[in-house]
Amino acid sequence: MSTSSRPDSARPVRYFHGGVPGLRPGALVLPPETTGTERTLTADVLSMGGAARRDRVYVTTGREVARVYAALHPDGALYEVAPDGDLAPDPDCHVPGVSFECATARVVRVVDPVVLARTRPLDAWLRKLDRATEEAGRQAAVGKP
């Protein structure tokens, strides 16, 4: 695992992933190309002209950012993860230090096993995503993971 692609900070950086439910600590988070999962946020981003890759897993330094992604997945879950391999900045995230792509990630712990989208309307989740991304960007800029 290359540390040169990790955001700089005095404390270890924590990474989160919001996605398919049912993973346990130690399990690998695999990309949609490997699992054969068709209904993903990656597919949605690609259909909107984004640069997401189906052969990558997306992780974020923002816990609330990952929570929104979990909510947008049917009964998705929120995980703390450890990325495997090198991290590259997510080309679809324009806030530095917040979102990254990697080959796989390993579940460190289950933060929330089910994040239900029906707890708020879609537009409210998208507004929350914007706010959470900006906040995670501010924290990354000052070295607070």
Side-chain angles (χ1 to χ4, degrees), residues 21-114:
L23 299 178
R24 300 192 188 310
L28 277 179
V29 178
L30 301 170
E33 184 176 89
T34 302
T35 63
T37 303
E38 291 299 322
R39 175 66 186 103
T40 65
L41 293 174
T42 300
D44 293 342
V45 169
L46 288 169
S47 72
M48 294 183 287
R53 295 175 52 181
R54 291 188 48 79
D55 65 336
R56 293 288 182 254
V57 168
Y58 290 87
V59 299
T60 178
T61 56
R63 179 179 171 155
E64 290 305 303
V65 173
R67 180 178 300 287
V68 173
Y69 281 101
L72 297 175
H73 191 285
D75 295 335
L78 173 61
Y79 304 101
E80 182 177 348
V81 298
D84 289 335
D86 288 337
L87 287 174
D90 176 353
D92 291 315
C93 182
H94 302 291
V95 179
V98 175
S99 186
F100 302 89
E101 57 183 33
C102 55
T104 63
R106 190 161 304 274
V107 175
V108 173
R109 71 184 176 101
V110 178
V111 177
D112 192 344
V114 180

Side-chain angles (χ1 to χ4, degrees), residues 98-145:
V98 175
S99 186
F100 302 89
E101 57 183 33
C102 55
T104 63
R106 190 161 304 274
V107 175
V108 173
R109 71 184 176 101
V110 178
V111 177
D112 192 344
V114 180
V115 180
L116 299 174
R118 58 185 168 269
T119 59
R120 59 176 64 165
L122 177 61
D123 61 329
W125 279 112
L126 296 177
R127 285 192 306 276
K128 181 174 176 60
L129 177 61
D130 287 342
R131 289 189 311 271
T133 300
E134 291 298 324
E135 177 60 25
R138 283 191 291 279
Q139 290 179 358
V142 296
K144 291 183 180 178

